[in-house]
Amino acid sequence: MTTYSRITGTGSYLPPRRVTNADLAAELAARGVETSDQWIVERTGIRARHFAAPDVTASDLAAHASRQALEAAGVAAKDIDLIIVATSTPDMVFPSAACILQAKLGIAGCPAFDVQAVCSGFVYALTIADSMIKTGAASKALVIGAEVFSRILDFNDRTTCVLFGDGAGAVVLEASDTPGILSSDLHADGKHVGMLCVPGTVSGGKVLGDPLLKMDGQAVFKLAVGVLEDAARAALAKAGKTDADIDWLIPHQANIRIMTSTAKKLKLPMEKVVVTVDQHGNTSAASIPLALDSAVRSGKIRKGDTLMLEGVGGGFTWGAVLLDF
Ligand code: UT7
């Protein structure tokens, strides 16, 4: 009997348009919005992000990342029996980006659905896929984080528009006799809805309310640092492991200062932290699988390494997944 799920392939995709801080500062200056490369680097660690072309959707980015992950796993698309896309920027109100992706991959029949947990979306989706594999409901899952956050940014608000980017990351998660995913720890606290949200909605053929991202950055920062430590410790305890067992920490890539303080609390040197926020910005649900794939492809992460994946974001949601790669 299968008792575990294991990542057998990773993939990612960034849209080709790379926008440096200097590029963005120049674009914003034309609108009368003042920022600088120095401010963005010092406060966030971000140096560049990628923005998708206007006609490119989250499922397009997801399809590129999925094909790479399938190839890395040596799995044919037709053998996938579960698709979960973590996204807050789906192509349409419905159907899900996962169903649209399924058609783009040329397959049909397997369950496909989106998970909406904002920047924690990938750890939520991975936990759901792991649970479905453990119950026998699936054996080869595609789990993807895909976002086009550029669509929901207010380019007149310098406190948020400099932070986010577009991209997608994917993994193939397969049933296995050996671990694999060791433990996970997920949480939400809906009383913080207003701290990070896109309050608008569609009703009666119109957009009601503001469809652009709002964030109380300092409040998010404080909350993030505390809950990320708690989730990591809970995931370690569930697996009977300690800080010292972590080979690589792959936190949500929002701000280098949050990542540094999380690493410090977990007594991990920064050499053990995968950092891509400098090149990707915050890609919400895509940030963890993008960072994972870049570290796998650069040879940093090797088979057998123990990884701690951690997400935190709107909802408020947060969580961690501990796994042997
Ligand atoms: O993905 C979900 C998770 N999200 C996060 O983790 C985000 C968490 N929060 C953060 O990363 C940080 O709070 C920010 C990067 C958003 C902001 O950094 P901060 O160090 O908390 O800056 P602040 O909000 O305290 O602002 C400091 C100053 C303000 O000016 P005054 O009031 O001191 O004169 C801002 O108006 O920096 C100003 N400022 C800017 N200046 C230049 C804010 N944004 C900018 C900007 N360029 N883009």
Side-chain angles (χ1 to χ4, degrees):
M1 199 186 88
T2 297
T3 33
Y4 301 106
S5 75
R6 183 168 207 130
I7 293 176
T8 56
T10 66
S12 64
Y13 181 75
L14 291 162
R17 188 176 163 228
R18 182 172 180 271
V19 179
T20 64
N21 290 344
D23 296 336
L24 188 58
E27 281 179 34
L28 295 179
R31 294 169 171 264
V33 176
E34 196 191 323
T35 189
S36 65
D37 174 55
Q38 192 189 353
W39 189 95
I40 302 170
V41 172
E42 279 176 8
R43 301 291 179 129
T44 71
I46 297 167
R47 293 180 184 275
R49 73 287 294 140
H50 290 246
F51 286 152
D55 59 339
V56 170
T57 63
S59 74
D60 289 328
L61 305 183
H64 285 292
S66 297
R67 288 192 190 102
Q68 243 191 26
L70 288 166
E71 196 185 332
V75 169
K78 68 173 174 47
D79 294 328
I80 288 297
D81 57 13
L82 171 66
I83 299 174
I84 309 180
V85 176
T87 187
S88 300
T89 48
D91 304 23
M92 307 178 183
V93 173
F94 71 78
S96 65
C99 286
I100 300 168
L101 169 67
Q102 186 188 44
K104 284 179 180 165
L105 294 176
I107 55 177
C110 71
F113 59 92
D114 289 358
V115 166
Q116 221 294 30
V118 202
C119 304
S120 312
F122 187 75
V123 291
Y124 267 64
L126 200 57
T127 301
I128 296 165
D130 173 56
S131 307
M132 289 180 72
I133 286 175
K134 282 179 176 153
T135 63
S139 63
K140 286 186 196 316
L142 248 182
V143 185
I144 303 120
E147 302 280 14
V148 281
F149 253 57
S150 57
R151 303 283 150 77
I152 52 169
L153 296 180
D154 179 352
F155 286 96
N156 292 311
D157 176 8
R158 68 178 183 173
T159 68
T160 53
C161 73
V162 301
L163 306 175
F164 296 89
D166 302 339
V171 302
V172 174
L173 191 72
E174 293 191 63
S176 165
D177 294 333
T178 55
I181 291 183
L182 302 169
S183 63
S184 80
D185 187 64
L186 301 181
H187 298 274
D189 184 349
K191 76 170 169 286
H192 301 297
V193 166
M195 201 188 276
L196 173 51
C197 60
V198 177
T201 188
V202 176
S203 175
K206 290 192 182 120
V207 174
L208 289 192
D210 192 336
L212 299 175
L213 185 147
K214 309 273 169 268
M215 177 168 74
D216 178 347
Q218 285 189 2
V220 171
F221 195 107
K222 275 185 210 136
L223 214 99
V225 172
V227 299
L228 286 173
E229 183 191 5
D230 295 347
R233 296 220 173 278
L236 286 169
K238 284 180 190 175
K241 304 260 184 191
T242 68
D243 306 354
D245 294 309
I246 301 172
D247 293 309
W248 290 100
L249 176 66
I250 310 182
H252 170 47
Q253 309 280 316
N255 187 320
I256 190 69
R257 293 186 291 136
I258 297 178
M259 293 156 77
T260 308
S261 74
T262 306
K264 205 166 161 190
K265 288 185 176 202
L266 296 174
K267 299 186 195 70
L268 291 173
M270 280 310 279
E271 291 71 45
K272 288 190 167 195
V273 182
V274 178
V275 176
T276 52
V277 70
D278 55 332
Q279 295 304 320
H280 301 170
N282 180 347
T283 57
S284 192
S287 92
I288 294 171
L290 262 165
L292 169 64
D293 184 55
S294 85
V296 169
R297 280 172 200 272
S298 70
K300 270 187 188 170
I301 292 179
R302 307 230 174 102
K303 204 164 166 46
D305 283 352
T306 299
L307 316 182
M308 174 66 79
L309 277 46
E310 285 201 282
V312 59
F316 228 73
T317 56
W318 66 98
V321 173
L322 185 69
L323 63 94
D324 284 344
F325 187 70

